[in-house]
C-alpha cells in the first residue's frame, strides 16, 4: 500500500480532545475508580535483597482493626505464569515461595476495609530471614551472564583487523545510571470477580496484554477478562508489563469474593514497576585521518534481575547508524539482586546513543574535525545491514536546519574558549534515531444515523495524544469535522491493539483506523452505487471520495449524498467496518523500515568556579514522517527533551551497595528536571511521509529523548575541556 501523498506532512495542531476533562479533574484515572463493597490492599515488602523467608508473623496484622486477610506464600492461591510477549517474559508471579531476590519484593498482601487500615496492618507483619550475600554490582564476576538471548548481536566485515590497521583509533568506556520511570500517577489496580469473570481497572499501557496475562495466570478464557484503562497518569514504559501487584490484587479479590483495590505508594513504585537498567559500554572506533569510519566495535554489559528476561540491546543501533564496513555489536546481561528492570522512554537507544555519539565527538576532536562534519561524512541513505534504502530518512535535512537555527558555525571549536562572564559556554550536538517498531493492530469505525462517527480500539493514551490524533485521522478519512468523531480506547473488549510504547502505536493504530475508515466509506459507496434512488447509481465504488459528511464522485461533490441520507433510505441506524494493520516486511517493500531521526543541538553554561551546569538552549530537528498533529507531536519532543536533560544531569536511582536498599526512593530525593532546569525548547519537523505505510507516520515519543544526553555531555566538554563518560554528570565530577 502506498503512502497517501495528497495528505499534508504536518497535520492541524488542534488541542487535545481530552484536555477539558483533564484540566477540570473529571478524567477518571485508575486510582479514581471505586465500587461499593470494595476492600483495600497494601503490600508488605522484603527488607533484604537475597535469602529466604524463615517465618512470617502475621498475627498482629490479622488482629488489627478492619483487616480481612493477610496473604503470604503459605496461603496464597497458586497461579500460573504469564505469557512471553515481544518485550520478554512476564514478571515472576507473586508469593510463589519463600525465596527473596531483591529489596522491596512483595512478600505479603494485607486486605482491610479501608486503605488506612490495610497500610497500618502491613507495618505489623514481621519477617524472619535466612540472609544470603546479595550480588549488587553487575560487574561482579560472580554474576551470571546472559549472552544475546534475543539473537540481536551483529557482525559484518572484519572489525578486529580494521581496528588494527586504522590510521586513527579511539577506545573509551561509558556508564549510564539506573533511572526510575516515575510517572506522576501512582499505579493502581481494582479487581472485581463475578463468578469466573474478571474486570480490572489497571494502570497499563497495554490493556490487551494485561487481559491475556490474567487469563493465563488464573486459567480462564480471555473472553472472561476485561481490562479498563481510559486514562493513564503517565508510564514512560512502566505500564508495559502486568506487574505482580496486579496479579496479587486479582488473587485477593478471587479468594475473598469481593472487589479489592490497591494503590502503590511512591517508594513502592521504585521497586514494583521497573526501572531503566544501568550499564557499561566499551566502544572502539577506527577511522581514516579524513574522518571515514572503518571500524566500530560496541559492547555492553547491562544489569538484569535474578528472575526476569527484560532485554535492552544497548549496542544494537550502532549496527546501522552510520556508513561503516566493519561493525560488531555485542550485548550481555548480568543477573544481580535488583528489582525487575523494564523499558523506560527510548529503551536501549537512549543508553547506546549516549555512548556512540559521545565517542564520535571524542573522535572528531582527535581528528581536529567539526563534530557535525564527521557525521555528515559518514551518513548513509541505505541500511548498512542489507543495502536497502530507508523508507524515509531526512537526517541530512535535520542537520542542515538544526545547525542553521542553532548557529552552530558561530562556535569556537577550541574547548574552554567561549565565556559569558563567569560562565563557561559550550556547544554540543548529537544525532538521534529510534528504530522502527510495530505490531498488529485493529480498529472499528461506525457512522451513526445522526452523521456522527465512533472509532474504537483497545489502545491507551498515556498522554501522547492518541484520543486526539486518531479522531483527526478518522475525520480526515471519513470526510467529517473532528467535532463529529469520537475515538474510544482503553477497553480490552474493543478491537485488539498493540501497546502504547516503542513509538509504534500511532503508526500501527493509525493504519488500522485508516483501513477501517476506508472500508466503511466503501460500504457506504456500495450501498449508494447500487441504489436506484441514489445519485451515485452506476458509479464504481472505486471512484468515490468523501467530504463534508458526504459520499460523492471523486472531484464532483455535487454528485453524491450524505451518510445520513444513505442510512435513512436503507433503514439503518448505523454502518460499521473493521480494519487491521500488520507490520510491513522490508524485503517485500524493497526498503528498510525507518524509525524517526533527529539532530540535537545544545548550549550549556558551566560556572567556572562551582561547576554548576545550566542548559541554556536546545534545538531539536526531527524527521517523524507525516505528523498528524503538530501540537501534540511538539509536546512529545518537549517531554522527551526534559527526560533527556534529567538523564544527563540529575537522574540516578541510588542503591546501597551493601544492602540493595534504594536510598532515594521519593520525589524529595530522586532528582528530576523541573521548570527551572528547562530552557526554551526549539522544535522543528522536517522530512516527508514515510513510504512504508499508508498513513506515512513514524512515531516521535522516544526520539525526543535520544541524543539529548550526549549533546549535553559534548557541550560540557566544549565548555570545560573535561570529558565525562558517566551519567548523570554531577558537580563533583566536574570539580
Amino acid at each position: 500500500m502506498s503512502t497517501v501523498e495528497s495528505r499534508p506532512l504536518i497535520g492541524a495542531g488542534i488541542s487535545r480532545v481530552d484536555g477539558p476533562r483533564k484540566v477540570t479533574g473529571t478524567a477518571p484515572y485508575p486510582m479514581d475508580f471505586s465500587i461499593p463493597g470494595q476492600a483495600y490492599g497494601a503490600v508488605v515488602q522484603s527488607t533484604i535483597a537475597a535469602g529466604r523467608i524463615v517465618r512470617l508473623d502475621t498475627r498482629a496484622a490479622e488482629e488489627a482493626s478492619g483487616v480481612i486477610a493477610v496473604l503470604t506464600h503459605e496461603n496464597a492461591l497458586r497461579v500460573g505464569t504469564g505469557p512471553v510477549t515481544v518485550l520478554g517474559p512476564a514478571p515472576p508471579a507473586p508469593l510463589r515461595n519463600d525465596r527473596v531476590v531483591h529489596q522491596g519484593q512483595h512478600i505479603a498482601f494485607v486486605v482491610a476495609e479501608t486503605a488506612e487500615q490495610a497500610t497500618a496492618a502491613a507495618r505489623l507483619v514481621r519477617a524472619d530471614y535466612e540472609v544470603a550475600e546479595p550480588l549488587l554490582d553487575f560487574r561482579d564476576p560472580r554474576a551470571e551472564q546472559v549472552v544475546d538471548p534475543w539473537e540481536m548481536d551483529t557482525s559484518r566485515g572484519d572489525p578486529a583487523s580494521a581496528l588494527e590497521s586504522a590510521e586513527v583509533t579511539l577506545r573509551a568506556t561509558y556508564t549510564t545510571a539506573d533511572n526510575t520511570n516515575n510517572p506522576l500517577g501512582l499505579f493502581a489496580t481494582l479487581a472485581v470477580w463475578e463468578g469466573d469473570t474478571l474486570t480490572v481497572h489497571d494502570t497499563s499501557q497495554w490493556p490487551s496484554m494485561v487481559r491475556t496475562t490474567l487469563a493465563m495466570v488464573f486459567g480462564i478464557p480471555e473472553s472472561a477478562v476485561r481490562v479498563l484503562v481510559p486514562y493513564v497518569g503517565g508510564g514512560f514504559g512502566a505500564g508495559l508489563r502486568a506487574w505482580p501487584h496486579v496479579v496479587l490484587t486479582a488473587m485477593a479479590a478471587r479468594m475473598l469474593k469481593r472487589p479489592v483495590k490497591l494503590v502503590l505508594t511512591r517508594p513502592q513504585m521504585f521497586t514494583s514497576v521497573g526501572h531503566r537498567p544501568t550499564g557499561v559500554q566499551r566502544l572502539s572506533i577506527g577511522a581514516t585521518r579524513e574522518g571515514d569510519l572503518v571500524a566500530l566495535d560496541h559492547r555492553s554489559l547491562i544489569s538484569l534481575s535474578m528472575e526476569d528476561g527484560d532485554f535492552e540491546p544497548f549496542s544494537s543501533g550502532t549496527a546501522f547508524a552510520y556508513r561503516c564496513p566493519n561493525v560488531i555489536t555485542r550485548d550481555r546481561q548480568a543477573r544481580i539482586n535488583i528489582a525487575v528492570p523494564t523499558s523506560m522512554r527510548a529503551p536501549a537507544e537512549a543508553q547506546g546513543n549516549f555512548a556512540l555519539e559521545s565517542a564520535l565527538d571524542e573522535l572528531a576532536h582527535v581528528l581536529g574535525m567539526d563534530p557535525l562534519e564527521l557525521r555528515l561524512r559518514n551518513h548513509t541513505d541505505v541500511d548498512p545491514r542489507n543495502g536497502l534504502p530507508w523508507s524515509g530518512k531526512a537526517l541530512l535535512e535535520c542537520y542542515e536546519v538544526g545547525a542553521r537555527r542553532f548557529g552552530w558555525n558561530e562556535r569556537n571549536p577550541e574547548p574552554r574558549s567561549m565565556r559569558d562572564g563567569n560562565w563557561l559556554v559550550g556547544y554540543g550536538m548529537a544525532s538521534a534515531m529510534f528504530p522502527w517498531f510495530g505490531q498488529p493492530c485493529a480498529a472499528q469505525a461506525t457512522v451513526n444515523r445522526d452523521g456522527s462517527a465512533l472509532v474504537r480500539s483497545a489502545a491507551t493514551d498515556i498522554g501522547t495524544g492518541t484520543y486526539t490524533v486518531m479522531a483527526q485521522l478518522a475525520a480526515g478519512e471519513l470526510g467529517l469535522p473532528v467535532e463529529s468523531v469520537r475515538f474510544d480506547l482503553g477497553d480490552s473488549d474493543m478491537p485488539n491493539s498493540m501497546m502504547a510504547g516503542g513509538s509504534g502505536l500511532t503508526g500501527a493504530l493509525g493504519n488500522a483506523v485508516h483501513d477501517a475508515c476506508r472500508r466503511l466509506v466503501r460500504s457506504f459507496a456500495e450501498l449508494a452505487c447500487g441504489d436506484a434512488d441514489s445519485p451515485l447509481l452506476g458509479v464504481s465504488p472505486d471512484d468515490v471520495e468523501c467530504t463534508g459528511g458526504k459520499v460523492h464522485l471523486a472531484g464532483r461533490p455535487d454528485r453524491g449524498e450524505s451518510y445520513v441520507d444513505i442510512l435513512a433510505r436503507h433503514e439503518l441506524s448505523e454502518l460499521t467496518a473493521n480494519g487491521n494493520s500488520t507490520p510491513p516486511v522490508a524485503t517485500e517493500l524493497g526498503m528498510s523500515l525507518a524509525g524517526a531521526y533527529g539532530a540535537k543541538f545544545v548550549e550549556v553554561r558551566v560556572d567556572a568556579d562551582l561547576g554548576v551546569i545550566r542548559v541554556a538552549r536546545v534545538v531539536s530537528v526531527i524527521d517523524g514522517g507525516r505528523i498528524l498533529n503538530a501540537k501534540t507531536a511538539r509536546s512529545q519532543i518537549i517531554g522527551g527533551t526534559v527526560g533527556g536533560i534529567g538523564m544527563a544531569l540529575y537522574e540516578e536511582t541510588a542503591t546501597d551497595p551493601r544492602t540493595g536498599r534504594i536510598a532515594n526512593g521519593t520525589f524529595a530525593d530522586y532528582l528530576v528536571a523541573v521548570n527551572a532546569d528547562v530552557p526554551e525548547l526549539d522544535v522543528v519537523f522536517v522530512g516527508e511521509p514515510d513510504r512504508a505505510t499508508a498513513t506515512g507516520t513514524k512515531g516521535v515519543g522516544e526520539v525526543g529523548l535520544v541524543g539529548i544526553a550526549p549533546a549535553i555531555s559534548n557541550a560540557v566538554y566544549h565548555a570545560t575541556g573535561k570529558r565525562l563518560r558517566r551519567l548523570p554528570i554531577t558537580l563533583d565530577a566536574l570539580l
Side-chain angles (χ1 to χ4, degrees):
M1 185 178 292
S2 62
T3 301
V4 185
E5 295 180 355
S6 61
R7 300 280 159 68
L9 173 63
I10 306 295
I14 68 170
S15 298
R16 297 173 185 269
V17 298
D18 52 324
R21 297 200 75 181
K22 288 185 173 179
V23 299
T24 57
T26 58
Y29 291 92
M31 65 187 300
D32 296 327
F33 285 95
S34 296
I35 64 172
Q38 72 186 23
Y40 295 83
V43 295
V44 179
Q45 298 179 285
S46 69
T47 57
I48 65 168
R52 68 180 189 87
I53 302 167
V54 175
R55 187 173 72 95
L56 274 174
D57 185 352
T58 62
R59 288 173 298 175
E62 291 166 341
E63 294 170 359
S65 176
V67 170
I68 302 166
V70 179
L71 306 185
T72 71
H73 67 278
E74 295 175 336
N75 63 358
L77 186 68
R78 300 295 101 182
V79 296
T81 302
V84 176
T85 74
V86 293
L87 300 182
L95 307 185
R96 293 171 302 150
N97 51 43
D98 61 3
R99 189 181 181 209
V100 176
V101 294
H102 69 87
Q103 271 263 1
Q105 178 180 321
H106 301 164
I107 60 172
F109 191 64
V110 177
V111 184
E113 297 291 346
T114 70
E116 294 78 11
Q117 289 170 333
T119 300
R123 298 193 188 102
L124 301 177
V125 176
R126 296 289 179 265
D128 294 329
Y129 302 101
E130 180 182 288
V131 182
E133 180 187 359
L135 279 172
L136 297 170
D137 185 348
F138 69 102
R139 288 159 294 200
D140 192 315
R142 295 173 297 169
E144 174 195 350
Q145 289 199 9
V146 181
V147 178
D148 191 23
W150 286 22
E151 299 182 351
M152 292 185 69
D153 285 358
T154 64
S155 180
R156 67 174 179 268
D158 187 350
S161 296
L163 279 168
E164 184 71 26
S165 61
E167 295 175 336
V168 179
T169 58
L170 173 83
R171 289 179 170 84
T173 300
Y174 303 89
T175 304
T176 53
D178 180 340
N179 300 158
T180 299
N181 304 53
N182 274 319
L184 184 60
L186 297 172
F187 275 32
T189 304
L190 170 61
V192 184
W193 287 88
E194 296 181 27
D196 288 329
T197 299
L198 173 62
T199 300
V200 171
H201 295 269
D202 186 42
T203 307
S204 175
Q205 296 171 232
W206 197 358
S208 298
M209 175 275 302
V210 177
R211 176 192 61 189
T212 300
T213 299
L214 292 174
M216 289 184 67
V217 164
F218 290 103
I220 57 178
E222 286 194 26
S223 58
V225 181
R226 187 180 187 188
V227 179
L228 300 170
V229 197
Y231 291 91
V232 181
F236 315 115
L240 291 174
R241 310 183 81 177
W243 295 106
H245 73 269
V246 180
V247 177
L248 266 179
T249 306
M251 178 195 298
R254 187 168 211 185
M255 293 176 67
L256 300 176
K257 295 182 171 54
R258 64 183 291 185
V260 175
K261 179 178 180 178
L262 168 70
V263 180
L264 294 175
T265 66
R266 179 61 58 184
Q268 289 168 352
M269 293 278 287
F270 276 77
T271 54
S272 300
V273 296
H275 54 97
R276 192 193 298 280
T278 189
V280 61
Q281 303 174 68
R282 295 177 175 84
L283 262 86
S284 299
I285 303 179
T288 66
R289 291 188 178 90
E290 291 75 29
D292 295 312
L293 297 178
V294 298
L296 283 167
D297 186 322
H298 190 171
R299 301 167 189 255
S300 76
L301 181 64
I302 309 160
S303 62
L304 181 67
S305 65
M306 286 293 183
E307 297 182 341
D308 188 60
D310 176 69
F311 183 56
E312 295 193 26
F314 286 11
S315 71
S316 60
T318 297
F320 53 92
Y322 293 99
R323 186 182 69 252
C324 184
N326 305 288
V327 178
I328 185 169
T329 66
R330 293 287 185 267
D331 291 296
R332 303 290 183 268
Q333 297 168 291
R335 291 197 180 277
I336 56 176
N337 293 105
I338 57 171
V340 173
T342 197
S343 301
M344 185 172 171
R345 197 168 195 167
E349 192 60 30
Q351 301 97 314
N353 172 269
F354 165 69
L356 177 61
E357 293 297 313
S358 297
L360 287 176
D361 196 74
E362 294 198 48
L363 178 64
H365 284 279
V366 171
L367 293 168
M369 177 180 286
D370 184 327
L372 176 56
E373 177 59 31
L374 177 65
R375 289 164 173 83
L376 289 168
R377 191 175 185 93
N378 292 283
H379 176 270
T380 176
D381 284 320
V382 300
D383 186 339
R385 297 167 298 183
N386 53 31
L388 294 175
W390 293 107
S391 58
K393 183 178 182 181
L395 182 55
L396 290 177
E397 189 177 358
C398 293
Y399 289 146
E400 178 188 354
V401 173
R404 184 175 65 250
R405 293 177 74 96
F406 184 80
W408 180 256
N409 291 334
E410 299 169 9
R411 67 191 271 277
N412 183 330
E414 188 66 25
R416 208 178 175 90
S417 62
M418 298 170 59
R419 292 184 77 117
D420 181 5
N422 202 47
W423 292 98
L424 302 172
V425 179
Y427 287 3
M429 63 83 56
S431 303
M433 178 274 296
F434 194 82
W436 185 93
F437 175 69
Q439 290 290 298
C441 210
Q444 184 182 83
T446 300
V447 169
N448 302 301
R449 188 72 168 267
D450 62 2
S452 66
L454 172 65
V455 185
R456 308 188 312 149
S457 183
T460 49
D461 188 339
I462 57 174
T464 52
T466 305
Y467 275 115
T468 306
V469 296
M470 290 304 139
Q472 283 183 270
L473 180 61
E477 298 291 351
L478 296 172
L480 292 170
V482 174
E483 298 77 18
S484 297
V485 178
R486 190 177 94 227
F487 187 78
D488 278 359
L489 50 68
D491 184 343
S492 65
D493 278 358
M494 296 178 184
N496 185 69
S497 172
M498 68 168 283
M499 74 289 285
S503 288
L505 181 62
T506 297
L509 179 56
N511 287 313
V513 168
H514 166 86
D515 186 45
C517 291
R518 287 297 177 93
R519 291 176 183 273
L520 181 56
V521 170
R522 186 174 184 88
S523 295
F524 272 101
E526 289 173 345
L527 281 177
C529 295
D531 185 347
D533 295 325
S534 172
L536 290 172
L537 178 65
V539 172
S540 169
D542 294 328
D543 296 331
V544 304
E545 60 184 5
C546 50
T547 56
K550 187 177 185 179
V551 180
H552 58 82
L553 183 64
R556 289 280 308 277
D558 59 312
R559 186 178 176 187
E561 59 181 331
S562 68
Y563 295 130
V564 172
D565 289 342
I566 295 171
L567 289 172
R569 196 165 56 253
H570 289 83
E571 299 182 347
L572 296 171
S573 60
E574 63 183 35
L575 202 59
T576 295
N578 295 310
N580 295 278
S581 71
T582 56
V585 179
T587 52
E588 295 177 1
L589 290 173
M591 298 181 288
S592 272
L593 303 176
Y597 287 89
K600 310 297 178 71
F601 294 83
V602 172
E603 176 186 334
V604 301
R605 304 292 181 97
V606 182
D607 187 289
D609 297 322
L610 302 177
V612 174
I613 304 171
R614 293 284 181 261
V615 178
R617 288 189 297 145
V618 180
V619 175
S620 297
V621 185
I622 305 297
D623 166 23
R626 179 185 169 207
I627 303 298
L628 298 177
N629 183 314
K631 179 181 279 190
T632 56
R634 182 175 183 272
S635 292
Q636 284 303 291
I637 301 303
I638 289 173
T641 302
V642 173
I645 293 172
M647 179 182 181
L649 301 178
Y650 306 114
E651 296 192 50
E652 180 172 14
T653 307
T655 299
D656 186 310
R658 298 165 301 164
T659 66
R661 186 182 70 85
I662 292 177
N664 61 339
T666 70
F667 275 167
D669 301 305
Y670 183 89
L671 300 182
V672 296
V674 297
N675 286 350
D677 303 310
V678 181
E680 187 70 24
L681 305 178
D682 186 14
V683 177
V684 185
F685 293 103
V686 300
E688 298 293 334
D690 191 81
R691 295 178 293 162
T693 65
T695 57
T697 63
K698 290 185 178 180
V700 297
E702 325 283 351
V703 77
L705 186 146
V706 181
I708 295 297
I712 290 174
S713 178
N714 295 338
V716 169
Y717 170 75
H718 181 233
T720 66
K722 293 185 178 181
R723 177 65 67 177
L724 301 175
R725 301 188 180 101
R726 184 188 185 280
L727 297 182
I729 299 169
T730 54
L731 297 179
D732 58 312
L734 274 179
L735 294 175

